[in-house]
Amino acid sequence: MTTGTVLWTPPADVLTTSRIGHFLTWVREERGVEVHDYPSLWDWSVTDLAGFWAAIWDYFDVVAHSQPTETLADATMPGARWFPGATLSYAENVLRMPGMGDNDVVVYSYSQTREPVVLTARQLRDQVRRVAAGLRASGVGQGDRVAAYAPNIPETFVLLLATASLGAVFSSCAPEFGSRSVIDRWSQIEPKVLVAVDGYRYGDKEVDRRAEVAAIHAALPSVERLITIPYLYESGDWDLLDGDDPLTFEAVPFDHPLYVLYSSGTTGLPKPIIHGHGGILLEHLKMLALHHDIGSGDRFLWFTTTGWMMWNFLVSGPAVGAAIVLFDGNPGYPDLGALWRLAADAGVTYFGTSAPFILACRKAGVQPPATVIRGVGSTGAPLPPEGFRWIYEVLGDKPQLQSLSGGTDVCTGFVGGAPLLPVIEGVISCRALGARVEAFDPDGKPLIGSLGELVVTAPMPSMPVGFWNDPDGRRYFEAYFDVFPGIWRHGDWITIGEDGTCVITGRSDATLNRGGVRLGTSEFYSVIERLPEVMDSLVVHLDEQDRLLLFVVLGEGHELDSKLRGRIASELRAALSPRHVPDEVHQVRAVPRTLSGKKLEVPVKRILTGTPAAQAAATGALADPESLTAFESVVPPA
């Protein structure tokens, strides 16, 4: 069993008060499957794939225009065939909004650019109807692409649903993406319609994006119509995307493309990952309702931009009956307590964010106001024990904290939490239902209790339909299946305990390995960033030179002197091993990160071994491109 401090335990009546408890009972009564707790439910979900996913379909009463002839026609990966014969619409299932009346508010939108906006269920459906009519009048039909260069605001959500209702394909990029990064993405899918904001405010800073929009438009000859949302300025033609057609839903096959998401794109062209209507719908129904216990009466916020898959996850909230809370702006303005105050004001019941945000709040001594938050989600990076403890120190013992890990590739989590399981500091509670996650050694043998490659040994409905412009599936195969035949290799290190708990320790391509001792980078950061002087850090191992380099960002008024170097060395030696004391420690202004907050160990490693920064990563995908180019001069190769 996992040892560690238990921070939260399920209430005694969890089987009758939680959605997963109701599902457990339903499976026993309606399917005759003897499941009584989470481990038995998970085991059934990954051994009887067809039975489990058919149960999800029926339990959530998926709206379909034609029913499937079977659940899983072919379980071979890649290429598993789910729900053949079924036709449906993701948009129709989201807009059903179970448990909501026409006048119930379904969207609460907050922004640093304009005043708050709310939409009732009736207003949301009407806006989707009008925008769908406008797209149809613009020549958009089944399979055409609609691109949004827009932030986390109601218009972007409406555009997604309107596009999906036509059987067209949606793609979004956050407006903080540089034009080159956007063009690299959308030149691959050739959108017919481009919808863009003219700018936005980030904190107290106005960011004009009209030049970027013009550059993107000029570089995409496929665009037949450009629509501008008047967000920062007053002129725009979003309201002209209108019409009198009734709201209808194109019935499409289960695996019909819904949207295209992109890998972070730190090297080469970003992978254009196609997700299907049915797979996304079923996966999000399962995850939001059964794992996060979100439903009618909830207000669901996840801090995200439209360039991160968590936005796509967030906006499925109405499909399980929840209202969604959108926020666009700087979560640290005027201070790191701003998002917590917004959550209190908006009545947020489920608060999702990233591990770096939680750790930054802890470091800054944030004290959130009293809230009705009963669930907290953390993703984007491993959350160390001190992050777990901080949540319970400042929010009390009521909320369930769920640390989860997954990816853009499946638009969900492979591992996470569940209301039936306790929260133990520093560990992820479980493997998700329907996700047969295992840890493999280099020979492809499963491991328990030891670090291994995170693999998925059975198909999931939300695995990609494929990559765009990859007719023979070669790029898709090489991305996930070329190491272990027929097995999805995700690229993370994971340790799975005998009790099913999990610890993710970073990307397998960024692992530190000295003298046969292998260590994920997250464990390293957990030690270093406990030091009060250290605000952020990044570590790389130059294999051929056997040099371990640590880079630190220090708080104001601190300097990297011999005393601090000594403390860093002693902390690492005591917590990890003498082999993990760095050969060199360097101070940097900032740690390079993607726009979704992931540290860029691999591109830094490339730069330090002679690759120019411009070739090491696509700078348009970075939050602060100069933070990466600075490594060209920060330390010469030995």
Side-chain angles (χ1 to χ4, degrees), residues 50 83 139 142 171 189 200 298 308 323 331 363 374 389 484-485 488 500 576:
F83 293 89
Q142 188 171 140
S171 184
I189 65 167
Y200 58 92
D298 278 313
W308 188 20
K363 204 92 172 180
R374 60 173 187 78
R389 289 194 296 271
F484 303 113
W488 174 292
L576 301 176

Side-chain angles (χ1 to χ4, degrees), residues 110-115 199-203 231-233 328-329:
Y110 298 85
S111 161
Q112 290 167 348
T113 307
R114 65 181 177 198
E115 293 301 307
Y200 58 92
R201 280 191 186 86
Y202 191 74
Y231 192 47
L232 183 59
Y233 304 104
D328 172 47

Side-chain angles (χ1 to χ4, degrees), residues 24-36 44 48 55:
L24 196 73
T25 302
W26 183 89
V27 168
R28 281 202 307 272
E29 294 177 352
E30 299 295 325
R31 292 298 198 261
V33 180
E34 286 303 310
V35 288
H36 297 275
W44 171 66
D48 183 5

Side-chain angles (χ1 to χ4, degrees), residues 14 29 42 60 67 72 106 108 145 165 176 215 224 243 253 265 301 343 401 440 454-455 523 581 585 608 623:
V14 66
E29 294 177 352
W42 180 82
F60 289 103
Q67 293 295 321
L72 182 56
V106 65
Y108 296 83
R145 276 77 67 204
S165 76
E176 61 263 31
E224 297 177 8
L301 178 150
L401 169 62
F440 269 16
L454 190 161
V455 297
E523 293 177 81
V581 174
V585 184
L608 296 177

Side-chain angles (χ1 to χ4, degrees), residues 333-354:
Y333 177 82
D335 56 69
L336 279 166
L339 206 57
W340 298 102
R341 293 192 293 272
L342 184 151
D345 293 342
V348 167
T349 58
Y350 198 100
F351 182 94
T353 184
S354 67

